[in-house]
Amino acid sequence: MDEEDFKPREIEVFAAIMTHGTTTRAAEALELTQPAVSKTLARFQQKAGFEVFKKHRQRLVPTQEAHMLYAEVQRTYESARQISRTARDIRSLQNGRLNICSLPAIGLTVLPGIVSEFSEAHPDVPITIDIRNSATVIERASRGQIDMGIAVTSTIENPAVTRRLLAFTKAVCAIPKGHSLLALDEIRPADMEGMDFISFGSADPLRLQVDRVCEEAGVKRNMRIECTLAAACLQFVADGAGISVVDNISAWKMRHAVEFRPFTPQLQIELSLYRPWGTPQSAICNAFTEHLVRRVKEISKKAGAG
């Protein structure tokens, strides 16, 4: 005949007697009758197969074997308490961690401020930010190496990721303070003829669009400096090295050091959030996603108006 497992109530009664010393006090603590506790204890001892308590002056004295068994019960109770604590932490978004990967245009401009706001509200959540190009961001999401990634929307469908639109960024012309182009309300390709120009790298999606409209207009710029990062392009503009065309969200970070004008024809880049496909999103990740989407929308609106 197979040994029968202890029932939760039997373990509970055993633990109560270990704590209180008598079946009467254990019954009071558990809000049970004394006969019910005695009957449950008898079943517990029968299943254990050894003597658990000895009677001494109206008290039940635990045997050495009972102490050994109670130590295991305490470990079980502690595990249950830890599960409860973890559940409470998850409910209050105090547990878990965030691993975010972003393209530089967002990761080096507005993302630090957005993450800082979220971290202040959730100080116990560790957050990791990695800055990579868009292709690497999507690749890392497809491998399940990050919780979320921010990248330029890829034209290539990847079944290993899910995608959510984050924002459309508009192109603006970045101009040093005191520059002659500031007399214009908007900048067209023809206005940049012969101007010192700070350009993105040759494979950048916005660079390709700017090059195309300038070529179509027959405009030749003085391609003075080439940078891979919007932040670097904007710093060169702030230092007076030339003008540039950047996305309005990146521009927002440098709005006090550089002047901006709308660029015509209108160019834009679509940004998306990428996540590993088939992986449930944690509560903390959900909360940050909504915070990120809301704040980027707010910043994009202000940048578009500015």
Side-chain angles (χ1 to χ4, degrees), residues 103 105 134 152-153 168-174 192 197-214 221 223 227-230 233-234 244-251 263-271:
L103 79 164
S134 289
V152 173
T153 302
F168 287 101
T169 66
K170 297 179 181 178
V172 294
C173 187
M192 301 191 298
F197 195 83
I198 315 300
S199 181
F200 286 114
S202 59
D204 185 87
L206 185 54
R207 159 74 181 270
L208 295 174
Q209 293 186 61
V210 174
D211 287 354
R212 176 178 54 79
V213 297
C214 286
R221 296 158 291 161
M223 307 294 279
C227 302
T228 57
L229 304 179
C233 288
L234 289 165
S244 187
V245 175
V246 301
D247 68 273
N248 62 334
I249 294 180
S250 296
F263 185 79
T264 303
Q266 189 177 100
L267 308 177
Q268 66 181 18
I269 297 295
E270 182 180 297
L271 300 178

Side-chain angles (χ1 to χ4, degrees), residues 17-55:
I17 296 173
M18 288 291 293
T19 302
H20 299 287
T22 69
T23 56
T24 300
R25 294 174 63 182
E28 292 173 354
L30 296 175
E31 297 183 349
L32 297 173
T33 64
Q34 190 274 336
V37 168
S38 297
K39 185 176 180 180
T40 303
L41 175 61
R43 287 199 303 270
F44 181 90
Q45 185 159 271
Q46 183 181 13
K47 289 180 180 180
F50 51 79
E51 190 175 27
V52 181
F53 295 102
K54 294 181 180 293
K55 287 187 178 181

Side-chain angles (χ1 to χ4, degrees), residues 95-284:
N95 205 354
R97 62 178 303 113
L98 277 174
N99 192 344
I100 305 164
C101 194
S102 173
L103 79 164
I106 296 295
L108 296 177
T109 55
V110 299
L111 186 61
I114 292 172
V115 169
S116 294
E117 293 167 355
F118 189 81
S119 182
E120 186 174 351
H122 307 284
D124 296 326
V125 177
I127 302 175
T128 301
I129 301 177
D130 195 11
I131 308 299
R132 302 285 177 174
N133 61 44
S134 289
T136 302
V137 170
I138 297 172
E139 180 183 3
R140 294 193 65 192
S142 70
R143 293 178 177 177
Q145 296 173 332
I146 56 176
D147 294 309
M148 71 170 65
I150 307 169
V152 173
T153 302
S154 175
T155 57
I156 302 173
E157 292 295 326
N158 187 331
V161 297
T162 61
R163 183 179 71 84
R164 174 178 176 178
L165 177 65
L166 177 61
F168 287 101
T169 66
K170 297 179 181 178
V172 294
C173 187
I175 307 169
K177 292 184 179 295
H179 196 281
S180 60
L181 283 181
L182 294 176
L184 302 176
D185 292 330
E186 65 179 19
I187 307 300
R188 297 177 178 275
D191 300 323
M192 301 191 298
E193 177 68 41
M195 294 282 180
D196 289 340
F197 195 83
I198 315 300
S199 181
F200 286 114
S202 59
D204 185 87
L206 185 54
R207 159 74 181 270
L208 295 174
Q209 293 186 61
V210 174
D211 287 354
R212 176 178 54 79
V213 297
C214 286
E215 184 178 345
E216 290 173 352
V219 171
K220 293 187 180 297
R221 296 158 291 161
N222 178 21
M223 307 294 279
R224 186 175 179 188
I225 300 172
E226 184 176 293
C227 302
T228 57
L229 304 179
C233 288
L234 289 165
Q235 188 59 57
F236 277 117
V237 174
D239 291 340
I243 64 172
S244 187
V245 175
V246 301
D247 68 273
N248 62 334
I249 294 180
S250 296
W252 177 250
K253 184 72 174 178
M254 292 287 286
R255 63 192 183 280
H256 302 301
V258 176
E259 298 288 341
F260 298 97
R261 293 292 185 270
F263 185 79
T264 303
Q266 189 177 100
L267 308 177
Q268 66 181 18
I269 297 295
E270 182 180 297
L271 300 178
S272 290
L273 287 175
Y274 287 90
R275 292 192 56 256
W277 184 88
T279 303
Q281 188 160 290
S282 66
I284 196 69

